[in-house]
Amino acid sequence: MSIRTPRNRLWRPVVAAAAAITVTAGVVAAAPDGKKAGPVPQLGLVAASTSVTLDSWKEEPGVYLDLGTYLTAAGGPFELRVTRKGYNDPVVAAQVVHEGRKTRTKVLPKGVVKDFTGLTDFIRITVRDASGKTVVTRTESFCPNNASGRIRPDAPARSKYPESCPTNPFTLGSVWGVENGWAANTYAGYYGKPVLIPAGKYTAEVAVTKRYRDLFKIADKPQKIRLTVRERSFEEENPTAPAAGAHAAHGSGHMDHTGHSGMAPARTPAPVAPTTGAGPSYNVGHGPFPPAPAAVPWAVKRQGLRATTGDGPGRTDGSRRAPAAQPEAARPTGRATVPDVPKPDLRSLPAYGITIGGGDPATPGRDYLAFSANVWNAGPAQLVVDGFRKPGKELMDAYQYFYDAKGKQVGYAPTGTMEWDPRPGHMHWHFTDFASYRLLKADKKETVRSGKEAFCLANTDAVDYTVKNANWHPGNTDLSTACGQENSISVREVLDIGSGDTYTQDLPGQSFDITGLANGTYYIQVLANPEKRLKETNLTNNSALRKVVLGGRPGARTVTVPAHGLVGGN
């Protein structure tokens, strides 16, 4: 895990006036048309405001079309389960329809999803200039988890659904939803592309495409918005601040929650107004991949609150509440026991984000293979590890805790140590021997081992939220505070059910030194729980391999990464 410089991620400017936010509930409450019962849920497209102002920044030309349109759900939540059996199988989606206490599942047609980032080509946007000439026409995907707030005063106070759509290429299952009485922003965020249009006045039309209108019985009611595009310069407005490319703290200044990483983001973030509600999505970390659009409601964001749920224990419906991410008050006493209760199941994802680089600047002239790696918890129980420090000692003693079905602590077992890592990009307590990274020869025998063997655990990626007991709102996702301070006397590290922990390329000690290796085929192995110190339900599924082909010459090495099943090479 790494401590990241506070900065807003990509979040683009949206509705210019804060007044537009205050009228959202009033505008949306009138839709969708509820004259007849219709299907459950009843979905509609609405616009929060009839006019918006968007900024085109000189440092990053182009306008991101956040036009303030929302998909509303009434009569019940809009819920989708998106899964794949394995990496040789396509991603498929099914709608879960809630009818009172009963539910039914409807498999959606092929092609509505291509990956886990949203419904493909859900929204069509058309922009016309003052003369009526079309200057932009495009379709964009829609992530239902872009929850922007409730639209009725009697709606649930919190959405049960996750706060974003995952982008880890090896995601296995996701849950998407718009809570009953809520609205989700149709803006594609990082998944969209900017449009190059000059400053001026335009008319934008946003519509749900016919395929989804027919599929979900959505009325054909396009929303028209008066659009003003203005050109601005971050340096001109903030003459004493670093340029945008320096990744300064823009806008609201939240921590970046994109996994354990020492790298700059894939794209330069633009300044964003603090009134937009666009902040970090808390339980995702995508290594080198861009984060999902913000999903914290405006009102919640402005009050500095977090969306949590707690309707009941043990149900895979987003209702589970993670135990507080606080260590035990005192070192365990009594006899250590490993009771017969549910335990975590640690699994590794194949390496991704693979590139040449990630070496130590202090040792120039060497070649390194860098990558991102994720170990996740398939459940059905959390992994909870506490560290206790004897006064004056350099190491903490680590213990794994066990809980019964009601969440009561019923046992513990010693499981190694925790150590303080003072290196830049770390500066937190690492649990030793959580995972190991190895580069194997073509015959799958080890040739190089990464120096990275100790980890701070945090829930950075939603790997599979369809597994039993998955927690859709895991705690301890703040990578700046999850793993304690140098003067901590105890630390709790948690890997929740359905979530994984990504360590991103370029962190000190993680990459492989390939300076003396011959060109040819190798495998990157990500191995969870290598010393088998942690108690799990299954120890046979802890390893994942990713094939790579090294080429080039010293000082100019290359790496080719073949596709892994249907997951493209990266």
Side-chain angles (χ1 to χ4, degrees):
M1 188 196 77
S2 61
I3 297 177
R4 308 298 302 275
T5 301
R7 53 178 163 80
N8 216 21
R9 299 186 298 182
L10 177 68
W11 318 122
R12 308 292 168 183
V14 290
V15 182
I21 298 175
T22 64
V23 302
T24 300
V27 173
V28 179
D33 188 354
K35 293 182 180 179
K36 54 184 179 180
V40 177
Q42 300 163 48
L43 305 179
L45 181 71
V46 299
S49 177
T50 58
S51 62
V52 298
T53 298
L54 301 179
D55 296 321
S56 177
W57 296 88
K58 291 181 180 179
E59 292 82 3
E60 192 179 44
V63 174
Y64 285 77
L65 296 175
D66 185 353
L67 297 167
T69 53
Y70 299 80
L71 187 76
T72 64
F78 175 52
E79 181 174 317
L80 302 177
R81 301 292 176 102
V82 188
T83 60
R84 58 179 164 203
K85 294 179 180 179
Y87 300 126
N88 291 316
D89 302 290
V91 179
V92 296
Q95 182 180 7
V96 179
V97 180
H98 297 265
E99 297 173 323
R101 295 184 178 181
K102 297 181 179 180
T103 61
R104 57 184 172 87
T105 301
K106 179 175 68 175
V107 177
L108 301 186
K110 293 181 179 179
V112 299
V113 290
K114 295 179 180 178
D115 51 30
F116 290 92
T117 62
L119 295 166
T120 305
D121 297 330
F122 185 89
I123 288 291
R124 181 175 298 279
I125 300 174
T126 305
V127 180
R128 299 180 177 89
D129 64 17
S131 68
K133 179 183 177 181
T134 298
V135 295
V136 173
T137 180
R138 65 191 300 176
T139 58
E140 291 189 345
S141 296
F142 166 60
C143 170
N145 289 351
N146 292 354
S148 294
R150 53 182 175 175
I151 56 176
R152 299 196 321 264
D154 62 337
R158 300 176 179 89
S159 171
K160 70 171 69 71
Y161 297 106
E163 297 175 350
S164 62
C165 291
T167 58
N168 189 307
F170 290 102
T171 300
L172 289 165
S174 187
V175 179
W176 302 344
V178 182
E179 182 62 271
N180 181 30
W182 282 57
N185 196 324
T186 63
Y187 170 47
Y190 242 133
Y191 310 135
K193 295 181 179 179
V195 294
L196 295 173
I197 53 178
K201 302 287 187 178
Y202 300 88
T203 299
E205 181 179 277
V206 181
V208 177
T209 54
K210 186 176 186 305
R211 179 180 195 178
Y212 293 102
R213 296 200 308 268
D214 295 343
L215 181 61
F216 299 124
K217 309 302 180 187
I218 303 173
D220 185 11
K221 295 182 178 180
Q223 300 296 309
K224 291 187 177 181
I225 302 101
R226 297 189 303 274
L227 170 63
T228 299
V229 175
R230 61 183 180 183
E231 186 177 67
R232 298 171 66 188
S233 169
F234 178 69
E235 290 187 352
E236 291 175 0
E237 297 186 16
N238 300 270
T240 62
H247 312 298
H250 300 319
S252 59
H254 281 268
M255 295 298 295
D256 193 316
H257 295 254
T258 54
H260 307 270
S261 171
M263 294 187 66
R267 284 157 61 178
T268 302
V272 62
T275 58
T276 65
S281 42
Y282 287 91
N283 57 343
V284 288
H286 314 295
F289 294 90
V296 180
W298 276 328
V300 174
K301 166 64 165 49
R302 291 171 70 186
Q303 296 174 37
L305 302 177
R306 287 284 307 281
T308 58
T309 55
D311 301 337
R315 297 202 304 266
T316 309
D317 60 359
S319 66
R320 295 184 63 252
R321 182 193 295 270
Q326 299 293 329
E328 293 293 323
R331 183 183 298 268
T333 59
R335 183 171 177 268
T337 59
V338 181
D340 185 17
V341 294
K343 297 179 179 64
D345 181 11
L346 301 179
R347 303 181 185 182
S348 300
L349 297 184
Y352 62 100
I354 302 166
T355 185
I356 298 295
D360 186 347
T363 58
R366 306 193 68 83
D367 297 311
Y368 292 86
L369 180 67
F371 58 96
S372 294
N374 182 291
V375 172
W376 71 288
N377 180 9
Q382 292 177 315
L383 172 65
V384 179
V385 178
D386 277 11
F388 297 91
R389 185 181 191 178
K390 294 178 181 178
K393 298 296 183 181
E394 296 298 321
L395 297 179
M396 289 188 182
D397 296 322
Y399 297 84
Q400 181 180 359
Y401 283 85
F402 308 100
Y403 302 83
D404 63 16
K406 296 182 179 180
K408 179 182 178 181
Q409 180 183 309
V410 292
Y412 70 91
T415 184
T417 60
M418 291 185 183
E419 61 186 9
W420 174 257
D421 191 331
R423 294 175 296 175
H426 294 276
M427 299 185 69
H428 46 239
W429 288 93
H430 278 165
F431 170 53
T432 56
D433 297 316
F434 172 69
S436 69
Y437 309 142
R438 306 172 187 187
L439 186 63
L440 311 182
K441 299 177 183 178
D443 60 5
K444 299 184 181 177
K445 293 182 179 180
E446 182 178 325
T447 181
V448 179
R449 180 177 295 198
S450 169
K452 181 71 176 170
E453 298 284 340
F455 301 79
C456 164
L457 308 184
N459 303 296
T460 66
D461 287 62
V463 176
D464 192 347
Y465 277 6
T466 68
V467 298
K468 182 180 179 180
N469 290 342
N471 184 4
W472 299 352
H473 295 275
N476 215 19
T477 58
D478 183 350
L479 300 187
S480 68
T481 62
C483 300
Q485 307 297 323
E486 185 175 10
N487 60 358
S488 296
I489 196 167
S490 59
V491 170
R492 164 161 290 186
E493 300 185 6
V494 177
L495 193 60
D496 217 320
I497 304 163
S499 290
D501 186 6
T502 288
Y503 267 80
T504 301
Q505 57 193 351
D506 273 5
L507 276 179
Q510 179 171 317
S511 56
F512 297 119
D513 187 341
I514 58 172
T515 306
L517 295 186
N519 290 340
T521 297
Y522 295 85
Y523 291 88
I524 296 175
Q525 181 189 44
V526 180
L527 182 61
N529 195 14
E531 304 300 327
K532 297 181 173 57
R533 292 181 177 176
L534 294 168
K535 307 302 180 182
E536 299 187 56
T537 59
N538 189 347
L539 291 170
T540 67
N541 57 9
N542 289 14
S543 175
L545 301 178
R546 189 70 190 275
K547 184 178 181 179
V548 297
V549 181
L550 297 181
R553 55 183 174 77
R557 300 299 293 271
T558 63
V559 60
T560 302
V561 185
H564 188 92
L566 298 180
V567 179
N570 55 24

